[in-house]
């Protein structure tokens, strides 16, 4: 890779303004249309978005919800997780995954991740007890877990799978999309997610008609098509205004995935041969996985010094979850933890390089050149 200009750049971790600026005219038209119609709650733009997601994923049912965390609670409850159950989830995840289990009345059981940072199927199997009813795989960093291995365990032990696909919209394992494997799944539409809206938002999906109906009731006060209350429910609807924004975004989404994969390929090329670093698999390096690179999570044996070096060069990086896996947050009582030595070691090493569609090739080249300088490997 050619070394870019020597001028110092300033590269933020994420450019929130880009979400609007890149599609300004179409977004303004969509928002103006909704506001002029006064179409704010459960209107046609939401139905159109839900239809768009069903078509994109090839899934039978999709509902827009207020945020990904609510989506997880709704997915767990609609799938049949009960108070007192144990649900197995990796500790390398956002607190929301474990919180949703807690608020469904169940116990989060925190397990290890493997070398690819995804939930470790062997650790799942080892954590099962007579109270276990569900596995929650995290489709982390825009990659789908080894769903064959998890499905085999679930089938043999009669466990549900509820996918946390908050970071995985568009990612696939053996050709099948994240969010279409388990009894139920959730996606987040938080602005920094692969498909981000202008605030909070989420989606729940399922191929099961009975679960879909419970999801619909749960997200809107337990009300059925006639407005009559059938059961207890939440107010967790995706705003119609956000849905209209998302309809614009969804049209460009396949191209954005390709751009993320191109950026990941540039990183892989630019950081090749640095023995101290571990990179995510490059696009198509592994035929079972189609990754959408929600994040570009790397490992370095000299992480903190490398991050300080990048910061001095104007490059902002972050560590997911403020550098703390779920089991290390002391205030989260009522979880059960297993041996998490590998996760703890990973959290001495891992961090995120900038990865989003506002990045230019030149910026990725600049980041890679800065890292090569750190390792004394110019050029
Ligand atoms: C973002 C995220 C969520 C929750 O999404 P919100 O829309 O912010 O509620 C859940 N799990 C994971 C892994 C996430 O990254």
């Amino acid at each position: 890779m050619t070394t870019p200009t020597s001028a110092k750049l300033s590269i933020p971790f994420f450019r929130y303004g880009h979400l609007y600026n890149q599609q300004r005219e179409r977004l303004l038209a969509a928002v103006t249309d909704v506001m002029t119609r006064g179409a704010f709650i459960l209107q046609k733009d939401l139905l159109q978005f839900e239809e768009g997601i069903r078509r994109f994923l090839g899934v039978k049912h999709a509902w827009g919800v207020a945020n990904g965390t609510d989506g997880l609670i709704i997915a767990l409850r609609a799938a049949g997780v009960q108070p007192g159950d144990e649900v197995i989830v990796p500790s390398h995840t956002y607190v929301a995954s474990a919180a949703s289990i807690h608020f469904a009345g169940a116990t989060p059981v925190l397990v290890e991740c493997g070398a690819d940072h995804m939930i470790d199927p062997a650790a799942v199997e080892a954590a099962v007890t007579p109270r276990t009813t569900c596995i929650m795989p995290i489709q982390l960093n825009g990659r789908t877990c080894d769903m064959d291995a998890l499905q085999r365990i679930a089938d043999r032990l009669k466990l549900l799978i509820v996918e946390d696909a908050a970071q995985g919209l568009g990612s696939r394992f053996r050709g099948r999309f994240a969010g279409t494997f388990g009894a139920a799944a959730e996606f987040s539409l938080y602005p920094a997610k692969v498909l981000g809206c202008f605030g909070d938002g989420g989606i729940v999906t399922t191929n099961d008609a009975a679960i879909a109906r419970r999801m619909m009731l749960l997200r809107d006060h337990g009300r059925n098509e006639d407005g009559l209350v059938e059961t207890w429910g939440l107010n967790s609807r995706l705003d119609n205004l956000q849905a209209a924004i998302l309809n614009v975004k969804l049209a460009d989404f396949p191209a954005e995935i390709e751009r993320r994969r191109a950026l990941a390929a540039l990183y892989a090329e630019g950081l090749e041969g640095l023995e101290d670093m571990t990179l995510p698999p490059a696009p198509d390096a592994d035929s079972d996985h189609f990754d959408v690179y929600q994040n570009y999570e790397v490992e370095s044996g000299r992480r903190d010094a490398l991050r300080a070096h990048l910061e001095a060069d104007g490059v902002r990086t972050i560590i997911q979850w403020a550098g703390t896996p779920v089991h290390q947050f002391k205030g989260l009582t009522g979880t059960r933890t297993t041996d998490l030595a590998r996760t703890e070691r990973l959290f001495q090493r891992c961090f995120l390089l900038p990865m989003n569609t506002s990045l230019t090739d030149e910026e990725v080249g600049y980041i890679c050149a800065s890292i090569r300088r750190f390792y004394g490997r110019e050029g």
Side-chain angles (χ1 to χ4, degrees):
M1 175 174 289
T2 54
T3 310
T5 68
S6 54
K8 184 172 168 181
L9 302 183
S10 176
I11 307 177
F13 184 73
F14 194 81
R15 293 184 176 101
Y16 285 94
H18 180 77
L19 289 174
Y20 173 55
N21 295 328
Q22 66 184 342
Q23 294 144 320
R24 198 167 190 277
E25 300 311 319
R26 281 186 292 152
L27 288 165
L28 270 181
V31 166
T32 301
D33 176 49
V34 166
M35 294 196 294
T36 307
R37 281 188 279 127
F40 298 119
I41 305 289
L42 295 178
Q43 296 298 307
K44 72 172 187 195
D45 308 270
L46 177 59
L47 296 181
Q48 186 191 330
F49 177 63
E50 290 167 343
E51 167 63 18
I53 289 293
R54 287 198 296 273
R55 220 171 321 120
F56 177 79
L57 293 175
V59 72
K60 287 202 184 117
H61 309 277
W63 306 106
V65 293
N67 56 71
T69 310
D70 275 11
L72 281 170
I73 297 171
I74 290 168
L76 286 167
R77 295 190 56 146
V81 168
Q82 300 286 328
D85 291 0
E86 287 184 356
V87 179
I88 297 173
V89 64
S91 190
H92 182 3
T93 189
Y94 190 36
V95 66
S97 322
S100 69
I101 297 166
H102 173 80
F103 283 108
T107 300
V109 177
L110 303 165
V111 301
E112 283 279 37
C113 54
D116 62 354
H117 304 186
M118 315 295 287
I119 192 169
D120 174 7
V124 170
E125 187 146 22
V128 172
T129 74
R131 286 173 60 201
T132 308
T133 59
C134 180
I135 306 167
M136 181 185 283
I138 314 300
Q139 315 297 21
L140 190 71
N141 296 330
R143 184 176 176 83
T144 305
C145 300
D146 179 344
M147 297 306 297
D148 285 352
L150 295 170
Q151 193 64 57
R152 274 195 297 275
I153 296 168
D155 288 346
R156 189 154 42 77
L157 301 173
K158 307 232 177 324
L159 305 175
L160 293 165
I161 290 179
V162 172
E163 291 172 68
D164 180 350
Q167 298 192 357
L169 185 65
S171 101
R172 285 177 259 157
F173 176 71
R174 299 212 165 148
R176 195 163 151 191
F177 281 105
T180 68
F181 290 91
E186 155 274 347
F187 298 94
S188 170
L189 305 168
Y190 181 86
K193 299 293 162 84
V194 280
L195 182 68
C197 65
F198 293 178
D200 279 309
I203 309 164
V204 289
T205 54
T206 182
N207 279 312
D208 181 296
I211 292 174
R213 189 170 161 77
R214 287 197 288 275
M215 286 171 162
M216 180 200 77
L217 295 172
L218 275 166
R219 78 143 182 202
D220 184 33
H221 302 289
R223 291 189 293 193
N224 67 19
E225 297 82 348
D226 302 320
L228 296 172
V229 174
E230 289 188 16
T231 183
W232 296 109
L234 306 167
N235 178 355
S236 186
R237 304 166 300 219
L238 178 63
D239 281 342
N240 194 62
L241 197 55
Q242 298 293 355
I245 288 164
L246 286 158
N247 286 330
V248 173
K249 297 257 161 208
L250 189 57
D252 291 353
F253 187 53
E256 294 205 345
I257 290 175
E258 284 316 311
R259 179 64 189 150
R260 284 176 178 276
R261 288 169 58 80
L263 291 168
L266 283 180
Y267 270 129
E269 190 189 321
L271 299 174
E272 201 186 333
L274 299 175
E275 294 81 23
D276 187 46
M277 285 192 79
T278 306
L279 309 178
D284 301 326
D286 167 357
S287 59
D288 282 347
H289 291 269
F290 180 89
D291 291 2
V292 297
Y293 299 96
Q294 161 70 60
N295 301 313
Y296 198 76
E297 188 169 59
V298 300
E299 296 176 45
S300 161
R302 297 170 60 198
R303 178 190 65 188
D304 296 347
L306 174 54
R307 290 189 67 216
H309 166 89
L310 283 164
E311 183 80 34
D313 273 355
V315 179
R316 289 304 307 267
T317 65
I318 65 168
I319 311 176
Q320 283 200 96
W321 342 122
T324 311
V326 173
H327 72 283
Q328 290 180 332
F329 286 114
K330 297 288 175 266
L332 301 179
T333 53
T335 64
R336 185 161 75 75
T337 64
T338 59
D339 174 18
L340 294 163
R342 266 184 285 142
T343 299
E344 290 182 6
R345 178 163 183 278
L346 177 63
F347 273 80
Q348 313 276 312
R349 297 170 52 84
C350 64
F351 71 106
L352 304 185
L353 295 175
M355 169 52 83
N356 59 75
T357 56
S358 79
L359 290 171
T360 64
D361 290 9
E362 186 203 6
E363 286 174 322
V364 173
Y366 176 91
I367 295 167
C368 293
S370 171
I371 294 173
R372 298 192 82 83
R373 267 196 310 279
F374 174 80
Y375 283 113
R377 293 279 300 276
E378 272 93 333

